[in-house]
């Protein structure tokens, strides 16, 4: 197997395991690792992340639909629809005309997103208002369109809500399912679902299935909070590397 393809499949397996356990982070792990290693172009990676995430989410959400916080989900989805399309268009423009800016945005997104997620937010006393859910959906949708990874925004927002952890995880997964499906449709309409994208996604299917089974059969021997902080600490280091490379490419 080609070394780049093998490395990508390993990243998919790691991301799938963490997302099954913690409810998010798969997209960030694949996107950050593949970009830091220079495996493939960013639009290709983001398209594959969307396809692979759909499969992981379908398995992870199965049997937990009743836990979804439906009122909040509706407003998150309303905000995501226009923002995802805008993010996909912006990604294509930056990739074609300002690649360094795009990599700089990705590095900053990873560092800031991981920093926010490493600090578990303090739950509010009351549920946020509908406009707040709408705003979170807009912000998360833009990041989903750009990088196929809305976890930092939506994860931070939902973990602040006075909901049970099971409700938060199910709602996050349902939100990701919608955003990844919509993003895939938009990318497909623009001709972005190339042979390379489908090939990478096809090789990743086994890794997703294995990671979901592994996470359910052998959960991590460390507390979930420790797993999350470890994963995001490593992602932060890679994000800093990507950001530094964008700011001073001649040094890397």
């Amino acid at each position: 197997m080609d070394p780049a393809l093998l490395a990508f499949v390993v990243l998919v397996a790691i991301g799938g395991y963490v997302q099954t356990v913690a409810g998010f982070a798969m997209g960030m792990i694949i996107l950050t690792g593949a970009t830091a290693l220079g495996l493939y172009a960013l639009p290709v990676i983001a398209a594959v992340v969307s396809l692979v995430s759909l499969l992981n989410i379908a398995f992870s959400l199965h049997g937990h639909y009743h836990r979804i916080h439906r009122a909040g989900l509706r407003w998150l989805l309303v905000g995501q629809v226009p923002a995802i399309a805008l993010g996909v268009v912006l990604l294509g423009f930056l990739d074609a005309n300002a690649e360094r800016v795009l990599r700089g945005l990705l590095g900053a997104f990873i560092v800031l997103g991981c920093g926010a997620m490493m600090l578990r937010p303090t739950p509010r006393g009351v549920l946020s208002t509908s406009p707040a859910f709408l705003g979170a959906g807009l912000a998360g949708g833009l990041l989903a369109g750009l990088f196929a990874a809305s976890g930092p925004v939506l994860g931070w927002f939902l973990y602040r809500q006075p909901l049970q952890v099971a409700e938060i995880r199910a709602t996050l997964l349902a939100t990701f399912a919608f955003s990844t499906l919509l993003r895939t449709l938009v990318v497909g309409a623009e001709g972005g679902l190339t042979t390379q994208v489908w090939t990478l996604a096809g090789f990743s299917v086994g890794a997703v299935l294995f990671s979901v089974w592994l996470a359910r059969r052998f959960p991590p021997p460390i507390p979930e909070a420790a797993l999350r902080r470890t994963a995001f600490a490593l992602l932060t280091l890679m994000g800093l590397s990507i950001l530094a490379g964008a700011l001073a490419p001649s040094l890397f």
Side-chain angles (χ1 to χ4, degrees):
M1 183 183 291
D2 176 65
L5 177 58
L6 178 60
F8 189 84
V9 171
V10 170
L11 286 171
V12 171
I14 295 172
Y17 184 91
V18 175
Q19 176 150 309
T20 303
V21 173
F24 57 90
M26 182 177 180
M28 287 190 67
I29 290 173
I30 300 173
L31 189 69
T32 306
T35 303
L37 295 173
L39 300 180
Y40 302 103
L42 186 54
V44 171
I45 299 170
V48 176
V49 165
S50 294
L51 290 171
V52 173
S53 294
L54 277 174
L55 181 59
N56 175 267
I57 292 167
F59 278 93
S60 300
L61 190 56
H62 180 69
H64 300 281
Y65 300 106
H66 63 286
R67 300 183 186 276
I68 297 173
H69 188 268
R70 301 182 187 280
L73 177 64
R74 282 195 295 270
W75 285 106
L76 289 174
L77 299 188
V78 170
Q80 282 190 321
V81 172
I84 289 173
L86 175 61
V88 172
V89 172
L90 184 59
L91 171 62
F93 174 80
L94 291 175
D95 183 62
N97 300 281
E99 186 178 356
R100 281 184 59 189
V101 173
L102 178 60
R103 291 178 66 87
L105 287 174
L106 173 61
F109 158 69
I110 293 167
V111 173
L112 294 175
C114 289
M117 296 309 297
M118 285 173 66
L119 301 175
R120 195 176 186 89
T122 303
R124 293 166 47 90
V126 296
L127 195 69
S128 293
T129 62
S130 297
F133 274 87
L134 177 64
L138 286 168
L142 183 62
L143 292 176
L146 269 170
F147 305 125
S150 57
V153 169
L154 297 181
W156 184 86
F157 177 78
L158 284 175
Y159 271 104
R160 288 201 68 212
Q161 305 308 314
L163 302 171
Q164 295 181 357
V165 174
E167 288 182 274
I168 293 173
R169 288 178 179 170
T171 306
L172 273 174
L173 287 170
T175 305
F176 295 159
F178 176 84
S179 64
T180 50
L181 178 59
L182 179 58
R183 188 186 193 282
T184 298
L185 292 174
V186 173
V187 171
E190 293 189 337
L193 297 180
T194 61
T195 300
Q196 184 183 40
V197 169
W198 285 113
T199 300
L200 289 173
F203 274 100
S204 301
V205 169
V208 173
L209 296 175
F210 175 74
S211 65
V212 172
W213 172 84
L214 190 66
R216 290 182 173 179
R217 183 69 177 80
F218 301 101
I222 60 176
E224 179 191 327
L227 174 67
R228 291 170 60 243
R229 288 196 174 97
T230 299
F232 285 123
L234 294 174
L235 287 173
T236 298
L237 292 176
M238 287 190 284
L240 287 171
S241 175
I242 294 171
L243 181 58
L247 295 176
S250 61
L251 298 178
F252 297 85

